[in-house]
Amino acid sequence: MIDPRALPKAELHVHIEGTFEPAQIFQFAQRNNVQLAYPNVAALEQAYKFTDLQSFLDLYYAALAAIRTERDFEELTIAYLQRAQAQGVRHAEIFFDPQAHLERGLSFETVMNGLWAALRRSRSEFGITTALIMCFLRDQPETSAMETLELAIPHRDKIIGVGLDSAELGNPPSKFQRVFDRARAAGFLTVAHAGEEGPSEYVWEALNLLKVSRVDHGVRSMEDPKLVTHLAQMQIPLTVCPLSNVRLRVVDRMQDHPLKRMMDAGLRCTVNSDDPAYFGGYVADNYSAVHEALELTDDDLVQLARNSFTSSFIDDDTKQLYMAEIDGLVAAI
Ligand code: ADE
Ligand code: ZN
């Protein structure tokens, strides 16, 4: 059996704020004089029992109170890159949620400068190429997203695309059609969370109205045969996050996860960690979990790793280098 950590892979769906580990939350809170609602790490971890997406988001946003400075963003990102390296990540496309920081009084520059201080060292220090994707919080008004987009435009050289995250139900992609039109006109690629808790109709909207290059999650697409046919024909990548789906009760048990059925239907699936500090594992742990529960073969795992590179936004030459690394590993087993 292939060790999933040894498999070179791209991670295409990870929220940097979702990599904030409990110990680091307390470390930052202490040095920034921020009072948390929990007395210690163990008490905080006890609260990581989620019933749905919103119950997780409430904790995820609350923990961000501990992040105040550029140094915090830099250290958060370096800690992720260290873990990602140990998980065999060669390329990471990282989401961030500026609105969650702006509303706490931080500046867009504090967020960007901190993230960038880490990412500019990533290739040389960790052997990981990176890209940044800025997400709009879909439970905030369209006007807030538009203002955030204007703040990002001067940083277009450091931000490859925009996405859509936070509470999905009741916040369809159509709400952000004008924002995404403006983002594409400014040169950003687009992705969106769709079909995680929301219906397959939201996946259609993400494709048709937001013109996304990838769908984040998309697991509920399986409820719509016409959509499955379309996604398969167009080879639209889906960034599936199995441990997240179990922890947020999108599926009851890992054995019920649709990933294998999605692959068998010809969908271009990738496996990712989403918010690894909250969901019990980083990206290779997600590969291991589906390998065990869904009886995936080594070939399936290799296919998922190949899909992660073909679905990424890196240039073709770098893509070929990473694919050759996979070929090398396959030839050696
Ligand atoms: N923000 C962080 N993780 C998320 C998820 N899984 N779905 C929607 N918004 C998120
Ligand atoms: Zn996500």
Side-chain angles (χ1 to χ4, degrees):
M1 175 199 151
I2 289 186
D3 175 356
R5 282 168 304 183
L7 203 49
K9 63 183 78 61
E11 166 130 85
L12 306 179
H13 185 156
V14 58
H15 303 262
I16 197 64
E17 295 89 350
T19 69
F20 202 14
E21 291 281 347
Q24 199 172 36
I25 294 175
F26 276 86
Q27 183 199 354
F28 289 10
Q30 198 164 34
R31 78 177 179 212
N32 292 328
N33 283 315
V34 172
Q35 189 63 44
L36 297 172
Y38 300 89
N40 52 47
V41 168
L44 176 62
E45 282 173 339
Q46 274 298 310
Y48 288 7
K49 295 187 182 109
F50 312 117
T51 50
D52 56 11
L53 175 57
Q54 188 62 57
S55 66
F56 154 70
L57 290 170
D58 291 344
L59 259 168
Y60 167 94
Y61 292 125
L64 299 184
I67 300 182
R68 301 293 318 166
T69 65
E70 276 183 34
R71 176 186 169 195
D72 297 338
F73 284 101
E74 179 177 1
E75 289 182 11
L76 175 69
T77 308
I78 291 289
Y80 164 69
L81 292 169
Q82 277 166 341
R83 291 203 171 85
Q85 183 187 46
Q87 299 260 321
V89 172
R90 304 288 286 109
H91 175 73
E93 299 188 356
I94 301 173
F95 293 137
F96 71 115
D97 285 339
Q99 284 158 293
H101 310 300
L102 294 168
E103 71 187 11
R104 299 183 295 110
L106 277 59
S107 73
F108 196 88
E109 274 60 39
T110 296
V111 180
M112 272 311 295
N113 292 346
L115 296 176
W116 198 249
L119 295 184
R120 64 184 180 74
R121 294 157 47 193
S122 180
R123 191 173 202 157
S124 61
E125 288 184 27
F126 302 100
I128 300 175
T129 49
T130 60
L132 265 180
I133 299 175
M134 179 179 85
C135 285
F136 301 112
L137 303 184
R138 67 201 308 156
D139 44 0
Q140 302 278 326
E142 180 201 19
T143 47
S144 171
M146 200 62 102
E147 285 164 17
T148 309
L149 176 60
E150 295 304 328
L151 294 174
I153 287 176
H155 299 278
R156 170 62 196 95
D157 57 329
K158 304 181 218 73
I159 303 173
I160 199 163
V162 299
L164 194 59
D165 66 1
S166 202
E168 186 181 10
L169 286 169
N171 295 297
S174 53
K175 180 176 165 185
F176 296 95
Q177 186 171 359
R178 282 182 293 237
V179 177
F180 275 60
D181 282 348
R182 168 109 181 90
R184 288 196 317 282
F188 294 99
L189 297 168
T190 63
V191 299
H193 285 51
E196 180 188 17
E197 276 194 348
S200 55
E201 184 53 41
Y202 286 14
V203 178
W204 282 117
E205 284 192 11
L207 297 169
N208 294 332
L209 305 183
L210 307 187
K211 319 274 187 216
V212 296
S213 306
R214 294 194 297 251
V215 174
D216 296 314
H217 292 294
V219 287
R220 288 196 60 195
S221 303
M222 291 302 277
E223 296 167 21
D224 180 343
K226 279 208 181 78
L227 177 58
V228 172
T229 303
H230 179 73
L231 292 168
Q233 254 167 11
M234 303 303 288
Q235 284 296 286
I236 311 279
L238 304 178
T239 64
V240 179
C241 305
L243 286 170
S244 166
N245 294 153
V246 174
R247 293 297 288 269
L248 300 187
R249 313 293 293 271
V250 172
V251 298
D252 288 335
R253 307 171 311 162
M254 194 58 88
Q255 291 93 313
D256 304 323
H257 197 283
L259 176 70
K260 176 72 175 147
R261 279 178 279 131
M262 294 167 79
M263 294 173 76
D264 290 344
L267 301 184
R268 182 179 284 184
C269 295
T270 65
V271 162
N272 308 272
S273 71
D274 204 3
D275 301 285
Y278 291 90
F279 300 150
Y282 283 74
V283 62
D285 307 320
N286 275 268
Y287 277 67
S288 297
V290 289
H291 188 204
E292 259 175 52
L294 305 178
E295 294 172 13
L296 299 189
T297 62
D298 279 1
D299 283 351
D300 291 329
L301 293 188
V302 169
Q303 186 61 50
L304 287 166
R306 288 194 194 283
N307 290 352
S308 74
F309 292 117
T310 50
S311 305
S312 76
F313 295 145
I314 25 174
D315 63 274
D316 284 341
D317 287 349
T318 315
K319 236 179 235 187
Q320 289 316 314
L321 284 176
Y322 290 143
M323 291 299 241
E325 283 188 29
I326 297 185
D327 293 339
L329 182 90
V330 170
I333 54 175

